């Protein structure tokens, strides 16, 4: 086994191995959702999809900690980095505890808002939330140190554990679907903690970094948190609003549509994970980061074109193969949803690029369009088609504005 691992490392760079791993994780998560959809049917899948959507919301919140750790792991010397990590671990755990307790306390309200069968699934989910924040800080360290092998293992462990425990509980122990999913999510957070980087020594708890560095960290953290909030709105508000406005059967159909249509976003996320440390390193070395951006924009555009073309040309085949006959009525919307997601994925690359360079106007732009999306869906939801077309127009507008800002920024640099 060791010999095989050494041979693999000789063939692939750590970055390439991470991309392969990220692809496999996305495939695994896709298979997980597809199997759930087929096994449960539209109505029960709607409840499971709410938990999965809340998991995505949680991942975006925790990503604030991960990206902050990544950025300053690259930029700070060792002693300052250790001071930062002791502080951010404490803040991450505190945030996780607060969010977890709020989820448990308001479980009954969440049941009413999202029209689910039980509140217990929110209680089980809430109890596991602090673990996710610890896991995210650990991943930020691994990403900042470009330890892509260990980073790959944490994502693989989380995905495989969730897949295994969900279907073990469903099939072998006949646990109700909402509890099976929530328990499996909690156990997967434990698996995702490994391999764990050694935490800095306790002596760093009493040390402080300079006021200038503190302001820099707080500003980046706050603005990243704002941007991740816009990610939550753009990426997940539609599913949550549809679950609120439509019956469970329609919400289950829409959840399957969203899952297939977002293939482009999940596939492109591995490029975003590689973009951030590469741009930061180029900046640190005084190199031009534009070629890095163009490279990843090219990759994502090509992938988006392939996926969107397939969903427009073969929508019924895609839905039938992935979810089966009960979901076939949603196929006419698939291409449009994939197109909206493609626009968002491309706009997202520009936003993360500028965020890594401390340019924060794209965050405001994304926040504005995310808010517009929510307002328009709340105003126009007579049918699922109307909900999807709102997103096409809003995300197209977001991409145009982000490209315009990039062109304007380049013009300023040249002048």
């Amino acid at each position: 086994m060791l010999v095989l691992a050494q041979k693999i490392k000789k063939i692939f760079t750590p970055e390439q191995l991470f991309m392969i791993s990220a692809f496999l994780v996305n495939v695994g998560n896709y298979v997980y959702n597809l199997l759930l959809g087929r096994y449960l049917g539209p109505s029960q899948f709607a409840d499971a999809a709410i938990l999965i959507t809340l998991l995505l919301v949680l991942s975006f919140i925790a990503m604030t900690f991960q990206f902050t750790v990544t950025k300053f792991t690259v930029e700070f010397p060792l002693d300052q980095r250790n001071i930062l990590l002791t502080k951010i671990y404490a803040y991450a755990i505190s945030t996780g505890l607060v969010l977890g307790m709020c989820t448990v306390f308001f479980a009954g309200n969440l049941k009413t808002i999202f029209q689910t069968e039980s509140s217990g699934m929110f209680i089980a989910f809430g109890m596991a939330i602090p673990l996710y924040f610890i896991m995210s800080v650990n991943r930020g360290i691994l990403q900042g140190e470009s330890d892509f092998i260990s980073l790959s293992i944490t994502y693989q462990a989380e995905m495989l554990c969730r897949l295994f425990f969900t279907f073990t509980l469903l099939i072998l122990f006949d646990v109700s679907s909402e509890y099976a999913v929530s328990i499996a999510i909690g156990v997967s957070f434990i698996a995702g903690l490994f391999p764990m980087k050694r935490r800095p020594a306790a002596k760093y708890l009493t040390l402080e970094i300079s006021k200038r560095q503190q302001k820099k960290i707080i500003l980046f953290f706050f603005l990243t948190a704002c941007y991740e909030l816009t990610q939550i709105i753009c990426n997940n508000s539609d599913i949550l609003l549809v679950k609120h406005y439509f019956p469970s059967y329609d919400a289950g159909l829409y959840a399957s549509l969203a899952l297939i249509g977002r293939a482009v976003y999940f596939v492109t996320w591995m490029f975003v994970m590689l973009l951030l440390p590469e741009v930061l390193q180029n900046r640190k070395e005084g190199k031009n980061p534009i070629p890095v951006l163009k490279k990843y924009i090219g990759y994502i555009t090509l992938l988006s074109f392939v996926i969107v073309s397939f969903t427009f040309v073969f929508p019924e085949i895609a839905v039938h193969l992935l979810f089966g006959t009960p979901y076939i009525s949603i196929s006419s919307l698939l291409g449009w949803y994939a197109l909206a997601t493609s626009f968002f994925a491309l706009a997202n690359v520009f936003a993360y690029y500028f965020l890594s360079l401390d340019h924060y106007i794209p965050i405001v732009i994304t926040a504005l369009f995310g808010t517009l999306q929510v307002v328009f869906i709340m105003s126009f939801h007579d049918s699922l088609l109307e909900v999807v077309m709102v997103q096409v127009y809003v995300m197209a507008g977001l991409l145009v504005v982000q490209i315009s800002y990039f062109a304007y920024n380049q013009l300023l640099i040249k002048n």
Side-chain angles (χ1 to χ4, degrees):
M1 196 72 176
L2 184 61
V3 174
L4 178 61
Q6 290 174 342
K7 286 183 178 179
I8 291 173
K9 287 182 180 180
K10 287 180 180 179
I11 298 171
F12 300 103
T13 65
E15 290 83 359
Q16 289 170 333
L17 284 173
F18 176 73
M19 289 184 69
I20 294 169
S21 173
F23 176 77
L24 292 175
V25 167
N26 282 312
V27 169
N29 286 328
Y30 234 71
V31 169
Y32 173 78
N33 286 282
L34 294 175
L35 291 175
L36 266 182
R38 280 181 170 271
Y39 186 83
L40 300 177
S43 295
Q44 281 188 296
F45 182 56
D47 280 6
I50 282 294
L51 282 173
I52 295 164
T53 302
L54 290 177
L55 175 59
L56 289 173
V57 169
L58 182 65
S59 71
F60 282 119
I61 298 171
M63 198 63 72
T64 302
F65 289 92
Q66 183 171 334
F67 280 149
T68 301
V69 172
T70 297
K71 178 179 173 64
F72 295 105
T73 295
V74 173
E75 295 184 355
F76 278 9
L78 183 59
D79 280 349
Q80 289 186 349
R81 187 192 312 167
N82 285 334
I83 296 170
L84 169 66
L85 291 178
T86 57
K87 307 292 184 187
I88 209 160
Y89 262 120
Y91 291 135
I93 293 169
S94 300
T95 303
L97 287 170
V98 170
L99 288 176
M101 287 188 293
C102 287
T103 304
V104 171
F105 185 77
F106 293 107
N109 303 82
L110 292 170
K111 174 184 180 294
T112 303
I113 292 169
F114 297 120
Q115 306 178 65
T116 60
E117 290 296 322
S118 76
S119 59
M121 65 188 209
F122 296 113
I123 294 173
F125 180 80
M127 291 172 65
I129 286 176
L131 294 173
Y132 198 89
F133 283 85
I134 299 171
M135 181 177 71
S136 295
V137 174
N138 184 55
R139 286 175 174 173
I141 301 169
L142 297 174
Q143 188 179 359
E145 293 179 352
S146 296
D147 187 357
F148 291 113
I149 304 297
S150 296
L151 186 61
S152 299
I153 293 170
T154 71
Y155 282 105
Q156 292 284 349
E158 183 193 358
M159 179 272 293
L160 290 171
C161 186
R162 184 160 55 246
L163 179 65
F164 173 78
F165 274 94
T166 297
F167 288 98
T168 298
L169 292 172
L170 281 174
I171 297 169
L172 297 184
F173 296 97
D174 197 28
V175 176
S176 61
S177 58
E178 63 270 20
Y179 285 104
V181 173
S182 57
I183 293 169
I185 286 173
V187 176
S188 73
F189 292 169
I190 298 173
L193 289 171
F194 303 98
M196 188 82 176
K197 293 291 288 187
R198 182 180 295 178
R199 293 177 62 175
K203 66 177 182 179
Y204 290 104
L205 277 170
T206 58
L207 301 177
E208 297 289 345
I209 54 179
S210 69
K211 294 291 184 183
R212 186 178 66 84
Q213 299 282 36
Q214 286 182 35
K215 288 180 181 179
K216 187 177 180 182
I217 294 166
I218 291 169
L219 178 62
F220 181 82
F221 183 89
F222 173 75
L223 291 168
T224 304
C226 291
Y227 186 67
E228 293 302 331
L229 177 61
T230 67
Q231 292 280 292
I232 292 168
I233 295 169
C234 293
N235 242 338
N236 303 289
S237 62
D238 60 323
I239 293 180
L240 299 177
L241 288 170
V242 166
K243 187 69 171 72
H244 177 69
Y245 287 120
F246 290 82
S248 289
Y249 184 81
D250 290 342
L253 291 176
Y254 188 85
S256 69
L257 170 73
L259 180 63
I260 301 171
R262 285 178 181 168
V264 62
Y265 183 82
F266 292 129
V267 169
T268 57
W269 182 246
M270 61 186 177
F271 292 116
V272 174
M273 294 291 284
L274 292 172
L275 171 73
L276 185 65
E278 195 169 339
V279 169
L280 288 169
Q281 194 62 41
N282 278 23
R283 183 191 188 190
K284 188 175 181 180
E285 296 172 0
K287 297 178 182 178
N288 182 10
I290 295 294
V292 176
L293 174 66
K294 289 181 177 178
K295 176 176 70 173
Y296 288 110
I297 286 291
Y299 290 152
I300 292 171
T301 301
L302 179 61
L303 279 168
S304 300
F305 177 77
V306 171
I307 294 171
V308 171
S309 298
F310 183 82
T311 55
F312 267 114
V313 177
F314 306 109
E316 291 189 2
I317 292 175
V319 174
H320 182 74
L321 285 175
L322 296 175
F323 277 95
T325 305
Y327 296 85
I328 206 72
S329 61
I330 206 71
S331 60
S332 61
L333 304 182
L334 183 57
W336 292 111
Y337 195 97
L339 182 63
T341 308
S342 297
F343 290 152
F344 178 63
L346 286 165
N348 205 34
V349 177
F350 285 102
Y352 272 114
Y353 168 79
F354 280 116
L355 184 62
S356 65
L357 296 176
D358 301 326
H359 288 230
Y360 303 121
I361 290 178
I363 298 173
V364 178
I365 294 170
T366 308
L368 174 62
F369 279 87
T371 304
L372 284 175
Q373 176 176 295
V374 172
V375 171
F376 285 152
I377 291 176
M378 291 175 70
S379 303
F380 304 100
H381 54 263
D382 289 339
S383 67
L384 292 178
L385 173 61
E386 202 168 50
V387 172
V388 172
M389 294 312 296
V390 161
Q391 293 172 80
V392 172
Y393 296 133
V394 173
M395 291 300 109
L398 172 61
L399 178 58
V400 169
V401 174
Q402 294 286 33
I403 292 172
S404 300
Y405 178 78
F406 173 75
Y408 173 73
N409 185 263
Q410 290 303 108
L411 187 62
L412 286 180
I413 293 171
K414 286 180 181 178
N415 292 335

